Amino acid sequence: MKCLMAALALFLGGAPAAAEVQCGGAFDDFAGAMASEARAQGHDAAKVSEFFASVRHDPKVIAADRAQGIFQLPFVDFSRRVISQNRIQNGRANLSRHAATFDEVQRTYGINPGVLLAFWALETDYGAVQGNFNTLNALMTLSHDCRRPELFQPQIFAALELFERGDFDPLRMTGAWAGEIGMVQMLPRDILENGVDGDGDGKVLLKTSVPDALLSGAAMLRSLGWRANEPWLQEVTVPNDLDWSKTGLDHPRPVSEWGTLGVQVRQGPPGPVDLPASLILPQGRNGPAFFAYPNFHVYFEWNQSFVYVTTAAYFATRLEGALIYDAGNPSPALDGDQVQLLQERLMARGHDVGGIDGILGARTRAAVQAEQQRLGLPADAWPTAELLSAL
């Protein structure tokens, strides 16, 4: 299956640095300016010339970046599309095959095997589909494009540093169209900061070494704030008379308080009674319901798509034996054009929805919940035709 992380690169996590070089204009001039900036940062002139010598603009990268229709799928549709029985079986086989590495991940980082397995599966089908875009060309093309240069330009200088170490070949390094490399798809700066030589061969080879890839992914999650040996997501059942305005990522409360409100874990014991949990309803009060624990928020540092994050976190629970979620009977989803219209109307009322893109992201959902409360509708953050009409 096509690499999901490449399809989701619009939402890459992490705080972006400022763009160093003016984007746009003739690509060759831009490449020259990037090389000049690299030398100004102290990189060896000969190495800089060698690094940038073969760089080319790749129009296929821009085409891939603009094709973001997958984000308009609601959670149930998206998760059913990407979580297959075959992926679950392969995940459990890989857990057995690489048990020693997963034991080390658990021991060192306090991260359950299912978490890394889910990323590994969704992003590269356990390493089978890592992408065939030239990584430097992809990063340079996206750095030159004025859509998100502040995100991608720092990755060029990180890749240059990897090149100087002998760990990046500008001609032969390939990966996803957005510049991610290896089995769990990490950007060059993430590799510099979190790369782990898991197999002890003196190199961090995320494309070919499972121990390197999994331990590096675990180190990255820890650096993003993963809390060792704590849960991340758990399916729950909710009473019909719940105050829906209490739901959403911005309204955490201790597990014990949710219990007094009638929210119950569907399978297994809940998290510690004093652990904060948000009650999230990916498709409103009539659809699936989950406790999102503090570790769930770390997923947004890896990737900022609400649908992807919830799917990855849920898939991790399935790989650890959780039941298939109860899909319920949610109200029909708005299509992409309707979501854009919704976003326009929300912005007209002063809400920050993060742009008119037809994607039901976290900020759009928060604005929806606020307007539902104002209009006296069930405030479950799931937009309906009724809400759109009322706005």
Side-chain angles (χ1 to χ4, degrees), residues 75-306:
F75 166 72
V76 170
D77 293 343
F78 183 87
S79 61
R80 285 174 174 172
R81 175 179 292 193
V82 302
I83 299 174
S84 65
Q85 188 59 38
N86 183 62
R87 275 186 164 166
I88 291 173
Q89 290 171 348
N90 285 344
R92 290 170 180 162
N94 275 303
L95 175 58
S96 177
R97 187 176 300 119
H98 302 288
T101 297
F102 283 107
D103 287 346
E104 185 173 354
V105 166
Q106 183 84 64
R107 182 173 59 254
T108 304
Y109 301 100
I111 299 174
N112 286 46
V115 173
L116 269 299
L117 281 168
F119 279 125
W120 192 12
L122 294 182
E123 296 186 7
T124 65
D125 263 337
Y126 303 108
V129 187
Q130 298 185 33
N132 57 8
F133 286 84
N134 177 280
T135 299
L136 179 57
N137 289 347
L139 291 171
M140 281 290 289
T141 298
L142 292 166
S143 296
H144 171 259
D145 183 43
C146 288
R147 193 176 184 192
R148 301 182 309 287
E150 72 285 350
L151 174 62
F152 291 102
Q153 285 191 21
Q155 304 299 334
I156 299 296
F157 304 116
L160 174 56
E161 188 170 340
L162 289 173
F163 168 66
E164 291 168 333
R165 294 181 180 184
D167 294 334
F168 187 99
D169 186 334
L171 285 170
R172 296 177 179 82
M173 181 65 77
T174 58
W177 62 261
E180 309 95 340
I181 299 166
M183 298 188 194
V184 294
Q185 298 285 268
M186 293 171 64
L187 286 164
R189 188 173 62 178
D190 298 323
I191 297 171
L192 278 178
E193 295 173 354
N194 299 294
V196 176
D197 175 18
D199 56 18
D201 67 352
K203 293 283 188 180
V204 178
L205 302 174
L206 304 187
K207 291 171 69 70
T208 56
S209 170
V210 171
D212 289 6
L214 295 178
L215 286 162
S216 296
M220 180 175 168
L221 285 172
R222 182 174 67 178
S223 76
L224 295 174
W226 191 272
R227 293 164 54 151
N229 302 310
E230 287 190 8
W232 56 98
L233 191 78
Q234 198 169 24
E235 189 183 5
V236 297
T237 60
V238 295
N240 293 329
D241 60 351
L242 187 71
D243 178 356
W244 304 110
S245 68
K246 298 180 184 297
T247 66
L249 290 172
D250 295 334
H251 303 107
R253 62 183 61 235
V255 167
S256 58
E257 288 188 21
W258 285 118
T260 65
L261 295 173
V263 180
Q264 300 294 322
V265 169
R266 185 176 176 216
Q267 178 188 15
V273 294
D274 59 345
L275 188 66
S278 300
L279 177 57
I280 60 171
L281 309 171
Q283 290 188 227
R285 66 194 186 282
N286 297 317
F290 300 95
F291 274 159
Y293 296 107
N295 277 334
F296 181 80
H297 295 269
V298 177
Y299 281 80
F300 286 100
E301 298 297 326
W302 187 295
N303 186 288
Q304 293 179 16
S305 163
F306 179 85

Side-chain angles (χ1 to χ4, degrees), residues 377-391:
L377 299 172
D380 61 2
W382 179 244
T384 62
E386 179 187 10
L387 174 65
L388 184 60
S389 177
L391 287 173

